[in-house]
Amino acid sequence: MNDVAHRSFLDRLAQAVGRAQVLTDPQETAPYCTDWRRQYSARAECVVRPASADEVAQVVRLCAHEGVAVVPQGGNTGLCGGSVPTGTRREIVLSLARLNRIRDLDTLNNAITVEAGCVLASIQAAAQASGRLFPLSLGAEGSCQIGGNLSTNAGGVNVLRYGNAREQVLGLEVVLPDGRIWDGLRGLRKDNTGYDLKQLFLGAEGTLGVITAAVLKLHPQPAATATAWIAVEAPQRAVELLAALRARLGDRLTAFELVSRVCLDAVLARVPGTRDPLGAAHPWYVLAEVSDVGEPAALAASVERALTDSAESGEIRDATLAASEAQAAALWRLRETIPEAQFRNVKHDVSVPVSKVPALIDEASRAIERAFPGGVVYAFGHIGDGNIHYNVGASDPEANEALMRGRAAVNAVVYEVVAALGGSISAEHGLGQLKREEIRRHKDPLELELMRALKKALDPAGIMNPGKVI
Ligand code: FAD
Ligand code: ZN
């Protein structure tokens, strides 16, 4: 037996990453051990903060040797408890925060090579500084990390035009559960040499390996953006408007978000400095964004024409077009602060085909009213992608807490409607701990069997983020 084997686990981790990067003091580890929604909290043996793929590999090898579970963590903004320990076995939190270098930016290949711990907003800024666009954009972009975005296959507000996180990726570098490093950092737009292995790790929520770096696609930076706040009668009108605007504006339509009056009221009441952009109250709103490389005035004129036509044909009730960047930011703030304006209620992140969103909202709301009279529905989100954040609460605080305690019953009502419409119970947030059991009722048994087979092939010892996803 050699010397190394005699040293304690913590000592060997310290040797790999430096003693200061192995945190054991409960005060220091606490923020890493509780999730963003404060629904999950459990202690880990330690938090390890490597600074390179090699250091990640050493840490994972040590954990594999000891049979200790590895919980990868990015910005810890995930909404399903995937990035924190479960407390059911020996676990470490592996923070990727120090892998935060931009390794390369190739404007002719329109690609950027980044490490997993780069904060999403910093990648957007680097792309912008080189006259390019990295289009992934979501409310948590100031703190979430690209490794977390790719591991949850995050969506956000630009999916309509650019696709979700998965679609931004050309190549990956991954530390496998046995500690080997897979260098798949290729910036190729075409590569048909067998299975597309990177897809396995995208959306895997850290259960198959640790993403340490990625090559991402960049896009032309739009020169003009038009942002409109549009009032509509009902979700059906919003879906029809989407089709009409796409026919008129094509791919220039980059975002199309739904906001209910109930959500807007919550924002106006609880978020300082917000105001209703339209004079009168309306039952539903759409926040639409259109962007292009051409002249700003030309784009604004064509959006205005499209909206005028829609108003004349009765598709919309009222609309306002932002006249400045500050006005556009104020409109986006109304949409992006909805999560904090209704923080504590029963959440659902569901998707159906875009054409079925109106049925989803109508039928789920009727079912909620029947099962939980007085329940308040907060429906909002990415209607252009068929993805609605359908949250249920109650105005009375006590009734709200009762709903929270009985949330499984609320979930069941909503998920039944989603299933009947051929939808998904997790459109963009993943499964984590939150939906690990629920998914078994909704996913085809053969699909679950294939997922388990992949897990077993890549992580036979089951050390990568156990207790999450499957
Ligand atoms: P974490 O929360 O740290 O981790 C998420 C999962 O990925 C965990 O399972 C973790 O183990 C795993 N993981 C993290 N890094 C790695 C890695 N390098 N290798 C392997 N596994 C890893 N999500 C959307 O999709 N769309 C939205 O519009 C959206 N809006 C949000 C708004 C707010 C205000 C908040 C708080 C969250 C929002 N989210 C949204 C959810 C969340 O921001 C995303 O899921 C984000 O992608 C998570 O990134 P993260 O770095 O915080 O990951
Ligand atoms: Zn969302």
Side-chain angles (χ1 to χ4, degrees):
M1 195 178 276
N2 61 33
D3 279 348
V4 178
H6 286 294
R7 282 194 219 115
S8 77
F9 178 53
L10 290 181
D11 279 347
R12 278 176 285 154
L13 288 173
Q15 217 172 36
V17 300
R19 180 142 323 257
Q21 304 304 339
V22 180
L23 315 181
T24 50
D25 176 350
Q27 269 197 326
E28 281 185 318
T29 58
Y32 297 88
C33 292
T34 302
D35 74 315
W36 191 82
R37 278 191 179 143
R38 301 194 287 278
Q39 301 282 316
Y40 297 96
S41 196
R43 284 198 57 178
E45 213 150 302
C46 61
V47 174
V48 185
R49 297 165 38 96
S52 67
D54 275 331
E55 288 187 7
V56 172
Q58 286 183 57
V59 170
V60 171
R61 256 198 309 276
L62 283 170
C63 289
H65 185 258
E66 296 271 323
V68 176
V70 177
V71 182
Q73 186 176 99
N76 198 16
T77 68
L79 301 174
C80 297
S83 56
V84 293
T86 58
T88 56
R89 55 179 286 177
R90 292 186 66 192
E91 290 163 289
I92 67 154
V93 172
L94 179 73
S95 165
L96 279 302
R98 292 176 68 232
L99 276 83
N100 59 0
R101 288 181 314 134
I102 289 176
R103 291 193 194 162
D104 187 44
L105 199 158
D106 180 347
T107 48
L108 294 180
N109 191 37
N110 265 326
I112 187 169
T113 306
V114 299
E115 293 185 342
C118 288
V119 170
L120 174 55
S122 73
I123 300 174
Q124 296 166 344
Q128 191 176 19
S130 70
R132 301 291 185 277
L133 173 75
F134 183 62
L136 190 66
S137 173
L138 45 118
E141 63 198 21
S143 43
C144 63
Q145 298 171 9
I146 192 67
N149 301 146
L150 300 182
S151 299
T152 57
N153 185 27
V157 293
N158 289 333
V159 174
L160 185 66
R161 161 76 175 86
Y162 297 100
N164 46 31
R166 184 188 298 284
E167 282 156 84
Q168 314 310 323
V169 181
L170 294 173
L172 282 186
E173 178 187 80
V174 178
V175 170
L176 300 173
D178 61 7
R180 284 180 298 169
I181 301 177
W182 171 50
D183 180 359
L185 280 182
R186 288 181 283 270
L188 302 177
R189 278 151 208 282
K190 290 190 154 185
D191 179 12
N192 281 349
T193 54
Y195 304 144
D196 188 357
L197 295 175
K198 64 178 180 295
Q199 298 301 340
L200 290 178
F201 302 96
L202 300 168
E205 300 181 56
T207 60
L208 300 179
V210 184
I211 295 175
T212 49
V215 187
L216 307 168
K217 291 181 203 165
L218 298 177
H219 298 264
Q221 176 76 54
T225 300
T227 309
W229 182 263
I230 305 161
V232 293
E233 182 65 43
Q236 179 65 33
R237 287 278 175 266
V239 167
E240 288 162 7
L241 178 65
L242 172 65
L245 290 183
R246 279 190 126 170
R248 301 275 303 244
L249 302 165
D251 259 0
R252 293 181 293 172
L253 189 61
T254 47
F256 198 83
E257 298 282 306
L258 183 74
V259 175
S260 72
R261 181 71 208 184
V262 180
C263 290
L264 180 64
D265 280 338
V267 167
L268 296 176
R270 283 171 216 141
V271 182
T274 51
R275 62 173 202 86
D276 188 339
L278 300 173
H282 300 278
W284 294 89
Y285 302 91
V286 165
L287 176 57
E289 192 167 277
V290 186
S291 58
D292 201 357
V293 289
E295 267 299 305
L299 181 71
S302 65
V303 173
E304 218 169 318
R305 256 196 321 276
L307 290 177
T308 308
D309 288 353
S310 295
E312 276 166 10
S313 63
E315 263 158 12
I316 66 182
R317 293 167 59 129
D318 198 1
T320 176
L321 204 56
S324 64
E325 269 182 38
Q327 282 186 12
L331 295 179
W332 271 108
R333 187 143 180 269
L334 295 175
R335 162 63 186 89
E336 279 178 343
T337 53
I338 297 174
E340 65 189 71
Q342 40 91 55
F343 186 74
R344 203 172 154 72
N345 53 32
V346 185
K347 314 283 185 196
H348 306 90
D349 163 37
V350 298
S351 65
V352 294
V354 176
S355 51
K356 293 188 174 158
V357 170
L360 166 74
I361 293 175
D362 288 352
E363 287 169 29
S365 301
R366 273 204 303 275
I368 287 291
E369 183 52 40
R370 269 197 309 275
F372 308 97
V376 179
V377 170
Y378 299 84
F380 65 99
H382 322 288
I383 188 170
D385 314 322
N387 172 196
I388 298 296
H389 298 307
Y390 188 94
N391 301 339
V392 183
S395 329
D396 171 57
E398 254 176 58
N400 196 58
E401 288 313 302
L403 274 182
M404 289 290 281
R405 281 192 300 275
R407 75 187 74 159
V410 183
N411 295 159
V413 169
V414 175
Y415 291 155
E416 193 183 318
V417 177
V418 170
L421 295 169
S424 165
I425 66 159
S426 183
E428 59 172 9
H429 296 161
L431 299 173
Q433 305 184 50
L434 180 67
K435 296 178 187 168
R436 188 198 60 187
E437 292 304 316
E438 189 72 41
I439 195 60
R440 300 210 265 187
R441 277 191 280 281
H442 298 276
K443 218 167 169 80
D444 180 271
L446 179 58
E447 287 180 77
L448 287 171
E449 189 186 316
L450 290 171
M451 280 170 62
R452 282 192 208 101
L454 285 169
K455 172 75 176 168
K456 220 168 156 186
L458 280 138
D459 182 21
I463 67 153
M464 285 306 311
N465 217 3
K468 321 286 168 59
V469 183
I470 45 171

